[in-house]
Amino acid sequence: MDKFVIDGGRRLFGGLRAQSAKNSVLPLLAASILTEERVTIFDVPMISDVACMAQILRELGAEVSFQGGNAFIDSADATEHRIPSALTKELRSSVFMLGALLSRFRRAACAYPGGCDIGLRPIDLHLNALKRMDAHIEERDGYILCACDRLKGADIVLDFPSVGATENILLAAALAEGRTVIEGAAKEPEIVDLQNFLNAMGAKICGAGTDTVEIEGVKKLHGVEYHPVKDRIEAGTYLIACAVCGGELEIEGVRPDCLGLLLHKLRENGCKIHTKNDKIKLTSSGRLKCNRKIETMPFPGFPTDLQAQMTALNASGEGCALIVENLFETRYKYVPELKRMGADIEVDGRNAFVRGVPRLHGATVSCGDLRGGAALVIAALGAEGVSDVLDLAHLDRGYCDLCANLKKLGAKIKRVRV
Ligand code: EPZ
Protein backbone atom coordinates (compact mmCIF):
# COMPACT_ATOMS: atom_id res chain seq x y z
CA MET A 1 0.00 0.00 0.00
CA ASP A 2 1.41 3.40 -0.94
CA LYS A 3 0.38 6.94 -0.18
CA PHE A 4 1.17 10.38 -1.52
CA VAL A 5 2.62 12.92 0.90
CA ILE A 6 1.87 16.34 -0.54
CA ASP A 7 3.09 19.63 0.89
CA GLY A 8 0.68 22.07 -0.70
CA GLY A 9 1.02 25.65 -1.86
CA ARG A 10 3.60 25.37 -4.61
CA ARG A 11 2.89 26.92 -8.01
CA LEU A 12 3.24 24.66 -11.07
CA PHE A 13 5.28 25.55 -14.16
CA GLY A 14 6.20 23.58 -17.25
CA GLY A 15 4.85 21.34 -19.99
CA LEU A 16 3.46 17.80 -20.37
CA ARG A 17 2.54 15.58 -23.27
CA ALA A 18 -0.76 13.76 -22.65
CA GLN A 19 -0.72 9.96 -22.43
CA SER A 20 -2.85 7.88 -24.82
CA ALA A 21 -6.46 7.91 -23.69
CA LYS A 22 -7.35 5.17 -21.20
CA ASN A 23 -10.94 5.25 -22.46
CA SER A 24 -9.78 4.70 -26.01
CA VAL A 25 -7.03 2.12 -25.45
CA LEU A 26 -9.45 -0.14 -23.55
CA PRO A 27 -11.96 -0.53 -26.43
CA LEU A 28 -9.09 -0.74 -28.95
CA LEU A 29 -7.65 -3.69 -27.00
CA ALA A 30 -11.11 -5.30 -27.02
CA ALA A 31 -11.37 -4.70 -30.78
CA SER A 32 -8.06 -6.51 -31.38
CA ILE A 33 -9.90 -9.84 -30.83
CA LEU A 34 -11.79 -9.20 -34.09
CA THR A 35 -8.82 -10.26 -36.23
CA GLU A 36 -6.50 -13.24 -36.17
CA GLU A 37 -3.67 -11.02 -37.44
CA ARG A 38 -1.21 -9.03 -35.31
CA VAL A 39 -2.42 -5.75 -33.80
CA THR A 40 0.01 -3.08 -32.59
CA ILE A 41 -1.17 -0.20 -30.41
CA PHE A 42 1.53 2.44 -29.89
CA ASP A 43 2.24 4.51 -26.77
CA VAL A 44 -0.06 2.59 -24.42
CA PRO A 45 -0.21 4.03 -20.87
CA MET A 46 1.13 1.62 -18.23
CA ILE A 47 -1.96 1.86 -16.02
CA SER A 48 -3.72 -0.95 -14.19
CA ASP A 49 -6.92 -0.82 -16.30
CA VAL A 50 -4.79 -1.55 -19.38
CA ALA A 51 -2.99 -4.37 -17.55
CA CYS A 52 -6.37 -5.80 -16.57
CA MET A 53 -7.73 -5.66 -20.13
CA ALA A 54 -4.54 -7.32 -21.35
CA GLN A 55 -5.09 -10.10 -18.79
CA ILE A 56 -8.65 -10.58 -20.03
CA LEU A 57 -7.32 -11.01 -23.60
CA ARG A 58 -4.76 -13.55 -22.33
CA GLU A 59 -7.51 -15.50 -20.53
CA LEU A 60 -9.31 -15.65 -23.89
CA GLY A 61 -6.21 -17.22 -25.41
CA ALA A 62 -4.62 -14.18 -27.06
CA GLU A 63 -0.92 -13.37 -26.71
CA VAL A 64 -0.39 -9.85 -25.39
CA SER A 65 3.02 -8.28 -24.85
CA PHE A 66 4.27 -4.79 -24.07
CA GLN A 67 7.56 -3.43 -25.34
CA GLY A 68 8.85 0.14 -25.42
CA GLY A 69 5.45 1.43 -24.36
CA ASN A 70 3.66 -0.36 -27.24
CA ALA A 71 1.18 -3.23 -27.02
CA PHE A 72 1.34 -6.24 -29.37
CA ILE A 73 -1.68 -8.54 -29.58
CA ASP A 74 -1.89 -11.86 -31.43
CA SER A 75 -5.25 -13.54 -31.00
CA ALA A 76 -4.95 -16.17 -33.74
CA ASP A 77 -5.06 -18.93 -31.11
CA ALA A 78 -7.81 -17.39 -29.00
CA THR A 79 -10.70 -19.78 -28.49
CA GLU A 80 -12.19 -18.87 -25.11
CA HIS A 81 -15.38 -16.77 -25.06
CA ARG A 82 -15.85 -16.46 -21.29
CA ILE A 83 -14.43 -13.47 -19.40
CA PRO A 84 -13.31 -14.47 -15.87
CA SER A 85 -15.68 -12.91 -13.31
CA ALA A 86 -12.84 -11.57 -11.16
CA LEU A 87 -11.61 -9.53 -14.10
CA THR A 88 -15.08 -8.26 -14.99
CA LYS A 89 -15.49 -7.05 -11.42
CA GLU A 90 -12.10 -5.31 -11.60
CA LEU A 91 -12.76 -3.75 -14.98
CA ARG A 92 -16.44 -2.96 -15.45
CA SER A 93 -15.90 -1.63 -18.91
CA SER A 94 -14.97 -5.15 -20.05
CA VAL A 95 -18.70 -5.57 -20.74
CA PHE A 96 -18.12 -3.97 -24.15
CA MET A 97 -16.16 -7.10 -24.99
CA LEU A 98 -19.47 -8.95 -25.41
CA GLY A 99 -19.93 -7.50 -28.89
CA ALA A 100 -16.40 -8.40 -29.92
CA LEU A 101 -16.63 -11.95 -28.54
CA LEU A 102 -19.97 -12.58 -30.24
CA SER A 103 -18.45 -11.37 -33.53
CA ARG A 104 -15.42 -13.64 -33.22
CA PHE A 105 -16.73 -16.72 -31.44
CA ARG A 106 -20.52 -16.46 -31.84
CA ARG A 107 -20.64 -16.83 -28.07
CA ALA A 108 -19.78 -14.62 -25.10
CA ALA A 109 -20.12 -14.84 -21.35
CA CYS A 110 -19.23 -12.52 -18.51
CA ALA A 111 -20.26 -11.90 -14.94
CA TYR A 112 -22.78 -9.13 -14.51
CA PRO A 113 -20.49 -6.14 -13.85
CA GLY A 114 -22.82 -4.61 -11.24
CA GLY A 115 -22.53 -1.17 -9.76
CA CYS A 116 -19.44 0.62 -8.57
CA ASP A 117 -18.53 3.66 -6.52
CA ILE A 118 -19.98 6.18 -8.93
CA GLY A 119 -23.35 4.64 -9.66
CA LEU A 120 -25.52 1.70 -10.62
CA ARG A 121 -24.06 1.56 -14.12
CA PRO A 122 -26.70 -0.68 -15.73
CA ILE A 123 -26.03 -2.38 -19.08
CA ASP A 124 -29.56 -2.60 -20.46
CA LEU A 125 -28.65 -0.48 -23.50
CA HIS A 126 -25.79 -2.86 -24.32
CA LEU A 127 -27.92 -6.00 -24.03
CA ASN A 128 -30.98 -4.60 -25.84
CA ALA A 129 -28.77 -3.57 -28.75
CA LEU A 130 -27.13 -7.00 -29.02
CA LYS A 131 -30.60 -8.62 -28.94
CA ARG A 132 -31.63 -6.35 -31.83
CA MET A 133 -28.66 -7.81 -33.70
CA ASP A 134 -30.01 -11.34 -33.23
CA ALA A 135 -27.96 -12.32 -30.19
CA HIS A 136 -29.68 -14.66 -27.76
CA ILE A 137 -28.98 -13.38 -24.24
CA GLU A 138 -29.65 -15.13 -20.97
CA GLU A 139 -28.94 -13.63 -17.54
CA ARG A 140 -28.45 -16.45 -15.05
CA ASP A 141 -26.90 -16.51 -11.54
CA GLY A 142 -25.18 -13.20 -12.05
CA TYR A 143 -23.81 -14.19 -15.43
CA ILE A 144 -24.66 -12.92 -18.90
CA LEU A 145 -24.62 -15.72 -21.49
CA CYS A 146 -24.80 -14.68 -25.14
CA ALA A 147 -24.97 -16.72 -28.34
CA CYS A 148 -25.75 -16.07 -32.01
CA ASP A 149 -25.41 -17.61 -35.47
CA ARG A 150 -24.00 -14.57 -37.20
CA LEU A 151 -24.87 -11.14 -35.79
CA LYS A 152 -27.21 -9.27 -38.08
CA GLY A 153 -27.11 -5.56 -38.80
CA ALA A 154 -30.00 -3.63 -37.26
CA ASP A 155 -31.38 -0.15 -36.72
CA ILE A 156 -30.64 0.68 -33.07
CA VAL A 157 -31.88 3.70 -31.14
CA LEU A 158 -30.10 4.48 -27.86
CA ASP A 159 -32.31 6.10 -25.19
CA PHE A 160 -29.13 7.59 -23.76
CA PRO A 161 -25.82 8.30 -25.61
CA SER A 162 -24.00 5.62 -23.66
CA VAL A 163 -20.27 5.49 -24.47
CA GLY A 164 -19.91 1.81 -23.63
CA ALA A 165 -23.09 0.76 -25.43
CA THR A 166 -22.05 2.67 -28.56
CA GLU A 167 -18.65 0.94 -28.44
CA ASN A 168 -20.23 -2.48 -27.89
CA ILE A 169 -22.45 -1.99 -30.93
CA LEU A 170 -19.51 -0.89 -33.11
CA LEU A 171 -17.58 -4.00 -32.06
CA ALA A 172 -20.62 -6.21 -32.79
CA ALA A 173 -21.60 -4.55 -36.08
CA ALA A 174 -18.16 -4.43 -37.76
CA LEU A 175 -18.39 -8.12 -38.80
CA ALA A 176 -22.19 -8.49 -38.71
CA GLU A 177 -24.23 -9.41 -41.76
CA GLY A 178 -25.63 -6.26 -43.32
CA ARG A 179 -25.95 -2.70 -42.18
CA THR A 180 -26.30 -1.28 -38.67
CA VAL A 181 -27.40 2.26 -37.94
CA ILE A 182 -27.05 3.68 -34.42
CA GLU A 183 -29.30 6.64 -33.65
CA GLY A 184 -28.51 8.60 -30.50
CA ALA A 185 -24.89 7.42 -30.41
CA ALA A 186 -22.35 8.79 -27.94
CA LYS A 187 -20.15 11.45 -29.62
CA GLU A 188 -17.02 11.31 -27.41
CA PRO A 189 -13.62 11.53 -29.18
CA GLU A 190 -12.94 7.96 -28.05
CA ILE A 191 -15.85 6.78 -30.23
CA VAL A 192 -14.25 8.49 -33.24
CA ASP A 193 -10.94 6.82 -32.34
CA LEU A 194 -12.58 3.38 -32.25
CA GLN A 195 -14.20 4.04 -35.67
CA ASN A 196 -10.79 5.05 -37.11
CA PHE A 197 -9.13 1.98 -35.59
CA LEU A 198 -11.75 -0.43 -36.97
CA ASN A 199 -11.69 1.25 -40.40
CA ALA A 200 -7.90 0.84 -40.40
CA MET A 201 -8.62 -2.88 -39.90
CA GLY A 202 -10.91 -2.90 -42.96
CA ALA A 203 -14.25 -2.05 -41.38
CA LYS A 204 -16.76 0.24 -43.08
CA ILE A 205 -17.97 2.73 -40.45
CA CYS A 206 -18.93 6.37 -40.77
CA GLY A 207 -20.58 9.05 -38.65
CA ALA A 208 -18.72 8.57 -35.35
CA GLY A 209 -18.69 11.86 -33.46
CA THR A 210 -22.27 12.56 -34.53
CA ASP A 211 -25.62 11.22 -33.27
CA THR A 212 -25.87 8.75 -36.14
CA VAL A 213 -23.27 6.08 -36.89
CA GLU A 214 -23.54 3.68 -39.84
CA ILE A 215 -21.69 0.38 -40.04
CA GLU A 216 -21.62 -1.86 -43.14
CA GLY A 217 -20.63 -5.31 -41.91
CA VAL A 218 -17.63 -6.92 -43.65
CA LYS A 219 -16.51 -10.54 -43.72
CA LYS A 220 -13.03 -10.14 -42.26
CA LEU A 221 -10.81 -7.63 -40.52
CA HIS A 222 -7.00 -7.51 -40.85
CA GLY A 223 -4.23 -6.51 -38.47
CA VAL A 224 -3.34 -2.87 -37.81
CA GLU A 225 -0.69 -0.59 -36.29
CA TYR A 226 -2.31 2.36 -34.54
CA HIS A 227 -1.64 5.50 -32.49
CA PRO A 228 -4.58 6.12 -30.10
CA VAL A 229 -6.00 9.55 -29.37
CA LYS A 230 -4.50 11.32 -26.33
CA ASP A 231 -6.22 11.42 -22.93
CA ARG A 232 -8.39 14.54 -22.65
CA ILE A 233 -9.39 13.69 -19.07
CA GLU A 234 -5.78 13.31 -17.94
CA ALA A 235 -4.97 16.62 -19.68
CA GLY A 236 -7.96 18.32 -18.04
CA THR A 237 -6.89 17.02 -14.64
CA TYR A 238 -3.44 18.65 -14.94
CA LEU A 239 -4.93 21.91 -16.24
CA ILE A 240 -7.24 22.07 -13.22
CA ALA A 241 -4.31 21.30 -10.88
CA CYS A 242 -2.35 24.23 -12.33
CA ALA A 243 -5.41 26.49 -12.10
CA VAL A 244 -5.70 25.71 -8.37
CA CYS A 245 -1.98 26.00 -7.57
CA GLY A 246 -1.29 29.01 -9.77
CA GLY A 247 1.47 29.07 -12.38
CA GLU A 248 1.68 28.18 -16.05
CA LEU A 249 1.22 24.82 -17.80
CA GLU A 250 1.30 23.80 -21.44
CA ILE A 251 -0.34 20.49 -22.36
CA GLU A 252 0.46 18.96 -25.75
CA GLY A 253 -1.44 16.30 -27.70
CA VAL A 254 -5.07 17.17 -26.93
CA ARG A 255 -7.18 19.35 -29.20
CA PRO A 256 -9.16 22.04 -27.29
CA ASP A 257 -12.45 20.88 -28.83
CA CYS A 258 -11.96 17.48 -27.15
CA LEU A 259 -12.29 19.04 -23.69
CA GLY A 260 -15.94 19.99 -23.97
CA LEU A 261 -16.76 22.98 -21.78
CA LEU A 262 -13.74 22.68 -19.48
CA LEU A 263 -11.73 25.54 -21.02
CA HIS A 264 -14.78 27.81 -20.93
CA LYS A 265 -15.25 27.01 -17.22
CA LEU A 266 -11.58 27.59 -16.41
CA ARG A 267 -11.77 30.99 -18.11
CA GLU A 268 -14.81 31.71 -15.90
CA ASN A 269 -12.57 30.96 -12.90
CA GLY A 270 -10.16 33.66 -14.12
CA CYS A 271 -7.54 31.53 -15.87
CA LYS A 272 -5.89 32.73 -19.05
CA ILE A 273 -5.94 30.05 -21.75
CA HIS A 274 -4.25 30.11 -25.17
CA THR A 275 -4.68 27.28 -27.64
CA LYS A 276 -2.95 26.42 -30.91
CA ASN A 277 -3.70 23.14 -32.72
CA ASP A 278 -3.13 20.44 -30.07
CA LYS A 279 -1.39 22.72 -27.56
CA ILE A 280 -3.23 24.24 -24.60
CA LYS A 281 -1.48 26.78 -22.35
CA LEU A 282 -3.07 27.81 -19.05
CA THR A 283 -1.90 30.62 -16.77
CA SER A 284 -3.41 31.10 -13.32
CA SER A 285 -2.90 33.48 -10.39
CA GLY A 286 -4.10 30.74 -8.04
CA ARG A 287 -6.82 33.01 -6.71
CA LEU A 288 -9.93 31.87 -8.57
CA LYS A 289 -13.56 32.81 -8.75
CA CYS A 290 -16.17 30.05 -8.35
CA ASN A 291 -18.17 28.91 -11.36
CA ARG A 292 -21.82 29.82 -10.93
CA LYS A 293 -22.86 26.38 -12.19
CA ILE A 294 -21.23 23.28 -13.68
CA GLU A 295 -23.59 20.67 -15.14
CA THR A 296 -22.14 17.41 -16.46
CA MET A 297 -23.51 16.28 -19.82
CA PRO A 298 -22.59 13.78 -22.54
CA PHE A 299 -19.98 15.07 -24.99
CA PRO A 300 -19.58 17.87 -26.03
CA GLY A 301 -21.00 19.06 -22.70
CA PHE A 302 -18.98 19.30 -19.49
CA PRO A 303 -17.29 15.89 -18.94
CA THR A 304 -18.48 13.92 -15.90
CA ASP A 305 -14.91 12.62 -15.55
CA LEU A 306 -13.76 16.15 -14.66
CA GLN A 307 -16.63 16.91 -12.24
CA ALA A 308 -14.77 15.95 -9.08
CA GLN A 309 -11.65 17.86 -10.08
CA MET A 310 -13.66 21.05 -10.73
CA THR A 311 -15.50 20.67 -7.42
CA ALA A 312 -12.07 20.62 -5.73
CA LEU A 313 -11.16 23.80 -7.60
CA ASN A 314 -14.38 25.56 -6.54
CA ALA A 315 -13.91 24.47 -2.92
CA SER A 316 -11.26 27.19 -2.51
CA GLY A 317 -12.69 29.67 -5.01
CA GLU A 318 -14.25 33.04 -4.29
CA GLY A 319 -18.04 32.79 -4.06
CA CYS A 320 -20.33 29.78 -4.49
CA ALA A 321 -20.88 27.10 -7.14
CA LEU A 322 -23.63 24.62 -7.94
CA ILE A 323 -22.37 21.33 -9.36
CA VAL A 324 -24.94 19.07 -11.07
CA GLU A 325 -23.92 15.48 -11.89
CA ASN A 326 -26.34 14.23 -14.55
CA LEU A 327 -24.66 11.00 -15.62
CA PHE A 328 -23.98 9.00 -12.47
CA GLU A 329 -26.06 8.62 -9.32
CA THR A 330 -23.35 8.67 -6.66
CA ARG A 331 -20.37 10.50 -8.04
CA TYR A 332 -19.81 12.64 -4.91
CA LYS A 333 -18.19 10.06 -2.60
CA TYR A 334 -15.04 12.16 -2.54
CA VAL A 335 -16.87 15.12 -0.93
CA PRO A 336 -16.54 13.95 2.72
CA GLU A 337 -12.80 13.68 2.12
CA LEU A 338 -12.69 17.25 0.78
CA LYS A 339 -14.61 18.37 3.89
CA ARG A 340 -11.83 16.91 6.05
CA MET A 341 -9.63 19.49 4.32
CA GLY A 342 -12.00 22.28 5.29
CA ALA A 343 -14.24 22.38 2.20
CA ASP A 344 -17.79 23.69 2.68
CA ILE A 345 -19.92 21.49 0.41
CA GLU A 346 -23.44 20.16 0.77
CA VAL A 347 -24.56 17.24 -1.39
CA ASP A 348 -28.23 16.73 -2.17
CA GLY A 349 -28.79 13.92 -4.68
CA ARG A 350 -27.22 14.98 -7.96
CA ASN A 351 -26.42 18.48 -6.70
CA ALA A 352 -23.40 19.70 -4.76
CA PHE A 353 -23.55 23.22 -3.31
CA VAL A 354 -20.03 24.55 -2.88
CA ARG A 355 -19.20 27.60 -0.78
CA GLY A 356 -15.65 28.65 -1.53
CA VAL A 357 -13.32 28.98 1.48
CA PRO A 358 -10.12 31.08 1.37
CA ARG A 359 -7.88 28.01 1.52
CA LEU A 360 -8.16 24.30 2.29
CA HIS A 361 -5.81 22.79 4.88
CA GLY A 362 -3.83 19.55 4.73
CA ALA A 363 -5.41 16.30 6.03
CA THR A 364 -5.24 12.54 5.64
CA VAL A 365 -7.71 11.55 2.92
CA SER A 366 -8.57 8.36 1.04
CA CYS A 367 -9.29 7.87 -2.66
CA GLY A 368 -12.58 6.06 -3.30
CA ASP A 369 -12.54 6.06 -7.10
CA LEU A 370 -10.32 7.21 -9.95
CA ARG A 371 -11.52 10.76 -10.57
CA GLY A 372 -12.52 11.41 -6.96
CA GLY A 373 -8.95 10.53 -6.06
CA ALA A 374 -7.65 13.01 -8.63
CA ALA A 375 -9.80 15.67 -6.96
CA LEU A 376 -8.17 14.94 -3.59
CA VAL A 377 -4.68 15.27 -5.08
CA ILE A 378 -5.64 18.61 -6.65
CA ALA A 379 -7.08 19.84 -3.35
CA ALA A 380 -3.92 18.76 -1.49
CA LEU A 381 -1.66 20.51 -4.02
CA GLY A 382 -3.45 23.80 -3.35
CA ALA A 383 -3.97 23.34 0.39
CA GLU A 384 -2.03 24.91 3.28
CA GLY A 385 0.20 22.30 4.89
CA VAL A 386 0.80 18.59 4.38
CA SER A 387 -1.75 15.98 3.18
CA ASP A 388 -1.53 12.21 3.04
CA VAL A 389 -3.52 10.74 0.14
CA LEU A 390 -4.20 7.02 0.66
CA ASP A 391 -5.53 4.16 -1.52
CA LEU A 392 -3.55 5.10 -4.61
CA ALA A 393 -4.67 1.95 -6.46
CA HIS A 394 -7.66 3.95 -7.66
CA LEU A 395 -5.36 6.57 -9.20
CA ASP A 396 -3.06 3.95 -10.72
CA ARG A 397 -6.04 2.74 -12.77
CA GLY A 398 -5.97 5.84 -14.96
CA TYR A 399 -2.99 8.12 -14.38
CA CYS A 400 0.47 7.08 -15.56
CA ASP A 401 3.41 8.78 -13.77
CA LEU A 402 1.13 11.17 -11.85
CA CYS A 403 3.64 11.73 -9.04
CA ALA A 404 6.63 12.17 -11.36
CA ASN A 405 4.72 14.57 -13.63
CA LEU A 406 3.56 16.75 -10.72
CA LYS A 407 7.07 16.75 -9.24
CA LYS A 408 8.45 17.83 -12.64
CA LEU A 409 6.02 20.77 -12.58
CA GLY A 410 7.24 21.89 -9.15
CA ALA A 411 4.86 20.20 -6.73
CA LYS A 412 6.25 18.94 -3.41
CA ILE A 413 4.92 15.40 -3.63
CA LYS A 414 6.36 11.98 -2.89
CA ARG A 415 5.01 8.43 -3.03
CA VAL A 416 5.87 6.44 0.08
CA ARG A 417 5.16 2.90 1.22
CA VAL A 418 2.64 2.85 4.11
C1 EPZ B 1 -17.53 5.55 -20.02
O1 EPZ B 1 -18.19 4.73 -19.07
C2 EPZ B 1 -16.18 5.88 -19.39
N1 EPZ B 1 -15.42 4.65 -19.15
C3 EPZ B 1 -16.41 6.60 -18.06
O2 EPZ B 1 -15.13 6.98 -17.57
C4 EPZ B 1 -17.22 7.87 -18.33
O3 EPZ B 1 -17.51 8.50 -17.10
C5 EPZ B 1 -18.52 7.51 -19.05
O4 EPZ B 1 -18.24 6.77 -20.25
C6 EPZ B 1 -19.33 8.74 -19.43
O5 EPZ B 1 -18.55 9.57 -20.24
C7 EPZ B 1 -14.76 4.09 -20.19
O6 EPZ B 1 -14.82 4.56 -21.32
C8 EPZ B 1 -13.95 2.87 -19.88
P1 EPZ B 1 -21.96 5.36 -20.17
P2 EPZ B 1 -19.57 3.98 -19.50
O7 EPZ B 1 -22.42 4.06 -20.67
O8 EPZ B 1 -19.47 3.51 -20.89
C9 EPZ B 1 -26.24 5.02 -18.23
C10 EPZ B 1 -13.39 7.13 -15.99
O9 EPZ B 1 -13.31 7.74 -14.91
N2 EPZ B 1 -26.35 3.70 -18.91
O10 EPZ B 1 -21.81 6.48 -21.13
O11 EPZ B 1 -19.89 2.99 -18.43
C11 EPZ B 1 -25.32 4.92 -17.02
O12 EPZ B 1 -26.04 4.50 -15.89
C12 EPZ B 1 -14.69 6.40 -16.32
O13 EPZ B 1 -12.51 7.09 -16.86
C13 EPZ B 1 -27.57 3.03 -18.88
O14 EPZ B 1 -28.55 3.51 -18.30
O15 EPZ B 1 -20.59 5.20 -19.39
C14 EPZ B 1 -24.85 6.33 -16.84
O16 EPZ B 1 -25.87 7.04 -16.13
C15 EPZ B 1 -15.72 6.50 -15.21
N3 EPZ B 1 -27.66 1.82 -19.48
C16 EPZ B 1 -24.83 6.89 -18.26
O17 EPZ B 1 -25.57 5.95 -19.07
C17 EPZ B 1 -26.60 1.26 -20.13
O18 EPZ B 1 -26.75 0.15 -20.70
C18 EPZ B 1 -23.42 7.04 -18.83
O19 EPZ B 1 -22.90 5.76 -18.94
C19 EPZ B 1 -25.37 1.94 -20.14
C20 EPZ B 1 -25.26 3.18 -19.52
Side-chain angles (χ1 to χ4, degrees):
M1 272 275 272
D2 292 356
K3 68 178 179 180
F4 284 155
V5 177
I6 298 173
D7 190 352
R10 280 158 183 72
R11 297 162 76 80
L12 303 183
F13 291 92
L16 289 173
R17 180 156 178 74
Q19 67 185 35
S20 291
K22 163 179 92 78
N23 292 348
S24 181
V25 168
L26 293 176
L28 299 189
L29 286 167
S32 64
I33 204 92
L34 293 175
T35 177
E36 296 188 11
E37 298 178 16
R38 163 163 277 210
V39 169
T40 301
I41 302 173
F42 294 112
D43 188 20
V44 166
M46 289 299 123
I47 52 179
S48 56
D49 272 9
V50 166
C52 185
M53 181 56 87
Q55 192 49 34
I56 287 173
L57 292 173
R58 292 189 189 102
E59 298 281 340
L60 300 173
E63 278 178 33
V64 184
S65 59
F66 294 96
Q67 204 159 26
N70 306 320
F72 304 94
I73 304 102
D74 288 297
S75 66
D77 301 333
T79 54
E80 180 54 65
H81 69 279
R82 289 166 299 189
I83 304 173
S85 54
L87 293 174
T88 306
K89 296 266 183 263
E90 194 178 329
L91 187 64
R92 283 187 30 75
S93 53
S94 57
V95 74
F96 54 48
M97 284 225 58
L98 292 173
L101 293 171
L102 277 169
S103 291
R104 174 79 186 266
F105 302 120
R106 307 280 194 269
R107 289 185 297 164
C110 77
Y112 206 93
C116 62
D117 271 347
I118 62 175
L120 297 170
R121 301 189 81 179
I123 57 169
D124 55 311
L125 298 177
H126 296 247
L127 302 183
N128 294 342
L130 294 174
K131 286 174 189 164
R132 293 268 307 142
M133 298 178 74
D134 229 15
H136 173 72
I137 295 182
E138 197 186 334
E139 296 174 59
R140 187 175 357 127
D141 309 329
Y143 273 82
I144 302 161
L145 309 168
C146 313
C148 64
D149 292 333
R150 185 182 173 196
L151 289 171
K152 300 222 177 8
D155 292 337
I156 295 168
V157 179
L158 288 179
D159 298 348
F160 182 87
S162 156
V163 170
T166 303
E167 290 165 345
N168 222 337
I169 298 164
L170 285 179
L171 295 170
L175 290 169
E177 187 180 348
R179 179 186 160 86
T180 298
V181 179
I182 311 171
E183 298 287 350
K187 299 187 275 194
E188 276 71 3
E190 293 77 27
I191 305 289
V192 178
D193 211 32
L194 181 57
Q195 168 185 274
N196 297 342
F197 181 81
L198 290 167
N199 284 345
M201 293 172 76
K204 290 187 180 146
I205 305 172
C206 62
T210 73
D211 300 297
T212 305
V213 183
E214 297 182 17
I215 308 103
E216 200 62 50
V218 295
K219 285 205 174 359
K220 197 170 159 43
L221 293 175
H222 53 70
V224 64
E225 295 188 344
Y226 193 79
H227 290 270
V229 72
K230 296 302 180 192
D231 197 319
R232 59 198 173 95
I233 304 302
E234 183 215 23
T237 301
Y238 285 111
L239 288 169
I240 296 167
C242 184
V244 168
C245 295
E248 187 169 277
L249 170 65
E250 180 170 271
I251 294 274
E252 198 182 338
V254 173
R255 289 203 331 270
D257 61 354
C258 288
L259 279 166
L261 284 177
L262 174 69
L263 302 185
H264 165 66
K265 289 296 168 186
L266 288 170
R267 287 189 174 107
E268 253 182 21
N269 299 124
C271 297
K272 297 273 176 286
I273 295 176
H274 299 284
T275 64
K276 186 165 186 287
N277 302 327
D278 70 347
K279 285 194 176 71
I280 301 167
K281 184 190 280 189
L282 176 143
T283 309
S284 166
S285 66
R287 289 303 312 146
L288 302 173
K289 291 190 286 297
C290 285
N291 301 100
R292 194 180 55 78
K293 184 174 180 184
I294 290 180
E295 191 153 8
T296 66
M297 299 298 272
F299 192 86
F302 189 87
T304 177
D305 293 347
L306 291 172
Q307 175 258 97
Q309 299 91 317
M310 281 304 274
T311 303
L313 177 152
N314 278 279
S316 60
E318 188 188 328
C320 299
L322 168 63
I323 313 290
V324 183
E325 171 53 61
N326 288 309
L327 277 81
F328 292 106
E329 298 83 356
T330 53
R331 202 163 195 178
Y332 289 121
K333 292 202 170 168
Y334 61 92
V335 169
E337 299 300 299
L338 282 183
K339 293 171 85 165
R340 295 160 66 89
M341 302 175 78
D344 180 355
I345 304 173
E346 272 169 56
V347 172
D348 173 12
R350 289 181 181 264
N351 298 329
F353 301 93
V354 184
R355 287 183 196 83
V357 298
R359 191 119 186 251
L360 297 180
H361 56 73
T364 297
V365 290
S366 293
C367 302
D369 64 83
L370 171 58
R371 308 302 177 186
L376 300 181
V377 170
I378 287 170
L381 289 168
E384 175 82 42
V386 179
S387 299
D388 284 3
V389 180
L390 311 177
D391 299 321
L392 299 185
H394 292 285
L395 286 168
D396 293 342
R397 284 191 41 221
Y399 292 101
C400 193
D401 301 330
L402 179 62
C403 186
N405 284 337
L406 289 171
K407 212 177 274 183
K408 180 183 147 193
L409 295 175
K412 196 165 179 196
I413 177 173
K414 58 184 178 185
R415 182 167 185 148
V416 296
R417 184 75 17 141
V418 180

